[in-house]
Amino acid sequence: MAETESAPGAQEFIPPQADTIDELRAAAAGCQGCELYRDASQTVFGRGDESARVVLVGEQPGDLEDQKGLPFVGPAGRLLRKAVDDAGIDPGHIYLTNAVKHFRFELRGKRRIHQTPDRVHITACRPWLVAEFARLHPEIVVVLGATAAKALLGPTFRVTKQRGELLPWPAAAQHPEDFAGVPVDSAGKVADAPAARLLATIHPSAVLRADNRDVAYDGLVKDLKVAARALR
Ligand code: SF4
């Protein structure tokens, strides 16, 4: 798949009257904000507790997620759930989503090989992320890997340098104004959300690819424990 040069973006597909995550999810099913909808099976929107204390943001759905229409149900998702558990975060208090909501892949024979989304896809899909945050108001935002970090924190943020560090949210975002004082309902009510914090760590798929999985997994859990402690 060649580099995409431009995309109209998701904004026009977000109904202003969508007050809930379910309404957003229903609208996202018809998104054509970039070309990724054409080859993927379906939109994979975020899922979890609407009053989640922790929102985890990954890159994009994988092959299995694309087929099932649910985020983090493949091997990386299973590993993430275990890591969340091992870190002591209540799984009932999390919401899982991705920076890009369609699966980007390259066909090799019959196999669909994951392709990292380009900046244009991240930018096109960002309005969905902003809309999710406007309705969720988490206490902790966990950014999983470089693509999610680019989507929320801008291209200069380095996960390897700042992982496991609690940062102010939304002040640390590339466009903090998008995430602060956002209307949360169709009547124009504005969120008065308490200050939250952000923490970046590796994507669980990086653990699966690591030469030493145990060390990589321990590192992921260690970072998530920082989030768990911040919740108490
Ligand atoms: S990747 Fe995002 S912007 Fe592109 S079509 Fe899918 S939902 Fe819309």
Side-chain angles (χ1 to χ4, degrees), residues 11-40:
Q11 193 62 54
E12 65 175 284
F13 297 92
I14 303 180
Q17 73 278 11
D19 292 341
T20 65
I21 291 289
D22 283 347
E23 285 168 332
L24 286 177
R25 184 181 296 109
C31 185
Q32 300 183 1
C34 73
E35 90 288 359
L36 296 185
Y37 78 93
R38 285 192 213 130
D39 295 329

Side-chain angles (χ1 to χ4, degrees), residues 136-159:
L136 291 165
H137 310 308
E139 288 169 50
I140 305 271
V141 176
V142 178
V143 168
L144 301 165
T147 301
K150 274 185 207 158
L152 288 171
L153 305 165
T156 54
F157 188 88
R158 293 282 170 272
V159 173

Side-chain angles (χ1 to χ4, degrees), residues 33-58:
C34 73
E35 90 288 359
L36 296 185
Y37 78 93
R38 285 192 213 130
D39 295 329
S41 311
Q42 56 193 317
T43 309
V44 181
F45 207 71
R47 68 163 175 162
D49 180 12
E50 284 218 25
S51 52
R53 299 180 74 190
V54 185
V55 172
L56 298 109
V57 186

